Amino acid sequence: MSHPRLSALIVARNEEQRLPACLASVAFADEVVVVLDRSTDGSAALARAAGARVLEGAWELEGERRNAGIAACGGDWVLEVDADERVSPDLAEAVRRVIGESRFAWHQVMVDNYVGDRLIRHGWAGSFGTTSVPRLFLRGAKRWRAQRVHPGLDWVGEQGPRIEQGALVHLVDRDVSDMLRRLDKYSSAKAADLLASGEIGSLAGNLRRFVSRAFKSYVSRKGYREGAWGVLLAFCTGAFPLLSYLKARLEPERHGGRRS
């Protein structure tokens, strides 16, 4: 009986600085597929030089480009990795073992999140970051929804146990300013999704979400153990939906809507 084939999928845009290390970390896969969305740098040449199959195009929605990448994969299993992530050797070993044994359709993997050189283990919550992600799945089991930022997922089949060995090393942000720029970028994309849905919510509701999400980050997810970094992470986690709402309400024309 042949061993299941594994496809590593990387979706990126203008990531020539970080792509080589990401590609090297997934070299254990049977094939590597790189989806490049409107890239104008040297990412395509780097990916092809590493032996990857490259799919280039332009997709407005994150969910659409990720689904295009999944469709391009030929393996029995798919491991989805972002360009700012690295598959640790221990995780690579665990993935190979799991796909040879698993009777399930998908598995979560652990994530080690870094800001600069600092590993931040606590406080990640909601859409601003997480400590485990559903990245290993049978081809056909996972479909992303048509949204711009943090699209939802639809699954076919049963979830298996989380893979506890190794981790995705996620280089989330370079520094505090980078974290705040990400908050600005993500909230703009989320504002466009809110306007497209026709329901942006209310100020009172999003103020409550700010408090509840910040509390979850700082207290429930133990962000307090990270000192001042935990405070910053709690602020960004709580601010994301509130800022998205305010952009959609105050500046709809800048995010694909119309001023009422």
Side-chain angles (χ1 to χ4, degrees):
M1 184 175 178
S2 61
H3 196 280
R5 294 187 72 248
L6 174 68
S7 297
L9 171 62
I10 303 169
V11 179
R13 182 179 183 185
N14 289 337
E15 289 283 6
E16 65 179 359
Q17 298 300 317
R18 296 191 285 194
L19 189 57
C22 181
L23 287 164
S25 77
V26 298
F28 68 95
D30 298 295
E31 73 164 357
V32 178
V33 176
V34 176
V35 175
L36 297 177
D37 181 17
R38 295 163 285 179
S39 286
T40 57
D41 65 359
S43 295
L46 287 168
R48 291 190 176 100
R53 186 151 54 92
V54 177
L55 176 63
E56 297 185 80
W59 295 269
E60 180 184 358
L61 305 181
E62 179 181 351
E64 290 177 346
R65 63 178 173 266
R66 290 188 178 275
N67 287 334
I70 293 172
C73 291
D76 303 293
W77 287 82
V78 178
L79 177 64
E80 212 169 355
V81 183
D82 289 341
D84 60 355
E85 296 171 339
R86 317 284 180 259
V87 178
S88 73
D90 285 346
L91 177 58
E93 179 184 333
V95 165
R96 273 299 185 194
R97 184 186 70 253
V98 168
I99 67 172
E101 303 172 350
S102 179
R103 298 180 181 179
F104 299 95
W106 54 286
H107 297 265
Q108 296 241 358
V109 301
M110 301 296 292
V111 182
D112 283 344
N113 295 292
Y114 284 81
V115 177
D117 294 331
R118 181 185 177 90
L119 172 61
I120 299 180
R121 293 193 178 279
H122 305 94
W124 301 100
S127 299
F128 208 70
T130 182
T131 54
S132 66
V133 285
R135 296 290 188 82
L136 181 65
F137 53 94
L138 282 170
R139 187 161 54 89
K142 179 179 185 179
R143 183 163 185 82
W144 294 87
R145 296 175 189 166
Q147 296 165 318
R148 290 169 178 81
V149 61
H150 304 308
L153 292 167
D154 294 313
W155 294 98
V156 175
E158 186 179 355
Q159 178 181 3
R162 184 171 65 182
I163 300 174
E164 302 284 348
Q165 177 183 331
L168 278 177
V169 177
H170 187 193
L171 310 179
V172 188
D173 299 301
R174 296 175 177 86
D175 50 31
V176 173
S177 294
D178 203 26
M179 185 180 291
L180 295 176
R181 281 190 290 268
R182 181 163 63 95
L183 174 61
D184 183 44
K185 177 183 176 181
Y186 281 6
S187 59
S188 290
K190 183 63 176 179
D193 280 340
L194 291 174
L195 289 163
S197 74
E199 179 54 62
I200 69 171
S202 67
L203 178 59
N206 280 285
L207 284 170
R208 287 193 294 269
R209 291 183 74 192
F210 177 90
V211 175
S212 63
R213 285 166 61 98
F215 180 88
K216 179 179 181 180
S217 171
Y218 194 71
V219 178
S220 302
R221 296 292 178 88
K222 300 181 180 179
Y224 61 85
R225 296 180 64 176
E226 304 291 349
W229 285 103
V231 174
L232 178 62
L233 190 53
F235 168 77
C236 291
T237 301
F240 171 66
L242 177 59
L243 187 56
S244 302
Y245 161 79
L246 290 171
K247 288 182 176 182
R249 176 175 174 176
L250 301 176
E251 300 176 337
E253 67 283 357
R254 298 190 61 179
H255 305 287
R258 292 182 297 177
R259 184 172 292 280
S260 58

